[in-house]
Amino acid sequence: MTDLTVTIGDGVAVLTLNRPERRNAYTRRMGELLNSAYRQCDDDDGVRAIVLTGAGDTFCAGADFAASEQPFSSASESFTASPTDPAAFELRTPVIAAVNGHAIGIGLTIALQADIRIMAFDAKYAVAQARRGVIGDCMSHWTLPHLAGASVAADLLLTGRTFDGAEAAAMGIANRAAAAGEVLDVAMAIATDIATNVAPMSAALSKRLLWSTMAHGYRPRQVAELETELHRRVLGTPDAHEGVAAFLDRRAPRWTSSVSQDWVPLPEP
C-alpha cells in the first residue's frame, strides 16, 4: 500500500492521501508522492482536472507525531515550511480539494492551496501549528488572507482554533460545505464538468492569471493588458471555433489543444 494513490478516468485524476490507519497523517514520503503526482498530472493532457481527497473518514490529521522522524524536532538545513512543490495553485490544471473529513495543521494548509475546496459540514478544521509551538506552513500566511481576508487569517493563524465546515463556508475558506459522505461526489461533479466543458488551455490560462494577480498585486489596467494578451493566444484557435460550434449544436465539445506542448508562461504586465 502506498501513502498516496492515483486514479485517472474521464479526464479527472483523483489523488488520495492513503494512510487511513493513521488518519492520513502527513509524512515526508506522502509529500514526495504528492509532489510527483502533481507534476505528472500537470504534464498529462489526458488530465484536465485534479481532485485531492483522503482515504477513510479523514482528509489529513496533520503531521504524523508518531513517525520516527519527529516533524518539529529540529530546524535542519534541509527543512522547508513549504514541502508542497509545486503547490496546487502553481499548477496549470484546476485542483479541487475534497476535504472529506478532519483536516488539521498541514492537512488544512495543503487544502488551502487548491483552487476550489469542498468541505464536510461536521468535520474539524484548524491551522493548529501555533498550538504546537510552531507557525502555519504551506504559505498559509498568503493563502488564508487572499481567500478569506486579513481578519479571518489573523483569527485562525493566531489562535489555532478549531472550526467546522459550515463556518469554513461562511468565512469563504470553503467554496461549499456538504455532508461528509457527499464531499467527494460534489468535488467529482465539479471536476468532471471542467474536464468535459472547459477548454484545457482556457482553464490553464485563467487559473495562472487569477493566482498571478493575487501573488503580484496587479492593478486593474495591468490585468486588462494581460487578459488582452491571453485572448490573443486563444482567439481563432481550433478550440475557440469548437467551443462556439458545440454550443450552437448543443453537444459536448471536443477539445484538441495541448497545454503540455503549447504552453507559454504568462508575460509580465
Side-chain angles (χ1 to χ4, degrees):
M1 184 174 291
T2 178
D3 287 358
L4 182 88
T5 64
V6 180
T7 59
I8 299 174
D10 298 324
V12 178
V14 180
L15 314 185
T16 305
L17 307 177
N18 190 44
R19 302 183 71 223
E21 75 287 354
R22 295 289 305 154
R23 297 189 300 164
N24 302 319
Y26 181 90
T27 63
R28 176 179 293 186
R29 178 58 179 162
M30 178 185 283
E32 291 170 348
L33 292 170
L34 179 60
N35 292 344
S36 177
Y38 272 166
R39 292 189 188 98
Q40 291 181 36
C41 289
D42 204 42
D43 288 336
D44 185 349
D45 286 330
V47 174
R48 295 180 176 176
I50 298 169
V51 172
L52 176 65
T53 193
D57 59 5
T58 299
F59 180 77
C60 177
D64 190 352
F65 293 113
S68 57
E69 184 180 353
Q70 287 292 310
F72 304 153
S73 60
S74 64
S76 65
E77 288 296 325
S78 62
F79 171 79
T80 174
S82 297
T84 45
D85 183 18
F89 59 75
E90 293 175 316
L91 305 178
R92 298 163 298 190
T93 310
V95 179
I96 299 99
V99 192
N100 55 305
H102 305 323
I104 306 298
I106 196 170
L108 179 58
T109 56
I110 287 176
L112 293 175
Q113 296 181 342
D115 302 298
I116 297 171
R117 282 157 302 287
I118 312 301
M119 300 173 72
F121 276 121
D122 298 328
K124 295 179 179 179
Y125 304 110
V127 187
Q129 286 89 329
R131 297 187 178 221
R132 310 291 182 263
V134 289
I135 66 172
D137 50 24
C138 293
M139 295 176 266
S140 54
H141 291 78
W142 181 76
T143 55
L144 264 176
H146 279 88
L147 292 173
S151 294
V152 170
D155 176 11
L156 301 183
L157 290 167
L158 301 184
T159 70
R161 70 175 180 86
T162 300
F163 55 96
D164 61 17
E167 187 178 2
M171 291 188 293
I173 292 172
N175 295 78
R176 197 178 311 173
E182 299 174 0
V183 166
L184 181 58
D185 290 339
V186 173
M188 287 297 295
I190 295 171
T192 300
D193 181 47
I194 291 172
T196 302
N197 296 308
V198 178
M201 187 63 77
S202 297
L205 290 172
S206 186
K207 171 175 175 170
R208 290 274 23 93
L209 179 54
L210 172 65
W211 286 98
S212 293
T213 295
M214 291 195 296
H216 300 295
Y218 294 151
R219 295 185 299 276
R221 283 297 172 186
Q222 290 177 301
V223 175
E225 292 174 7
L226 286 168
E227 286 178 343
T228 299
E229 171 63 24
L230 299 184
H231 266 90
R232 288 176 176 144
R233 294 190 190 181
V234 294
L235 288 172
T237 63
D239 275 0
H241 291 295
E242 173 61 14
V244 175
F247 173 75
L248 294 176
D249 295 342
R250 298 183 179 182
R251 58 172 174 79
R254 295 182 288 269
W255 308 118
T256 57
S257 60
S258 171
V259 175
S260 66
Q261 295 182 27
D262 300 332
W263 180 256
V264 177
L266 267 64
E268 294 291 334

